[in-house]
Amino acid sequence: MPKRILELWHTVCRFTSWLLIDPTQPVIQEKRDRHGRLYWKVYDPRTGYCVICDSEQEVCTWIEEHWFGNRP
């Protein structure tokens, strides 16, 4: 039970900091698949679009092309 409470606390903290910083910024999560391979999930809250990237370079490229390229 304490582990679940700690996970919930971390989620609340991340969400609160996201709201305080800028909720329109892309959200990038580093994840691992069931085989242990690393990948990144990028979410654009402005559009609701989500992309899965296989490398940090792919994340950077996506941000440069889709985020900075579309800013007013």
Side-chain angles (χ1 to χ4, degrees):
M1 188 68 154
K3 183 180 178 184
R4 294 189 80 182
I5 293 171
L6 185 59
E7 289 172 358
L8 178 61
W9 175 250
H10 286 292
T11 301
V12 169
C13 289
R14 280 193 305 270
F15 180 73
T16 303
S17 64
W18 174 73
L19 284 175
L20 293 174
I21 295 171
D22 185 352
T24 63
Q25 293 293 316
V27 178
I28 303 167
Q29 296 175 313
E30 185 177 283
K31 299 195 169 256
R32 291 197 179 271
D33 66 14
R34 63 183 176 163
H35 302 289
R37 290 181 291 234
L38 193 59
Y39 69 94
W40 289 263
K41 179 179 176 182
V42 183
Y43 172 71
D44 182 351
R46 297 179 307 160
T47 63
Y49 183 77
C50 183
V51 65
I52 302 297
C53 299
D54 294 321
S55 69
E56 290 180 48
Q57 181 60 43
E58 193 176 340
V59 171
C60 292
T61 301
W62 185 89
I63 289 173
E64 289 173 8
E65 292 175 358
H66 295 91
W67 180 256
F68 292 118
N70 293 334
R71 290 196 75 112

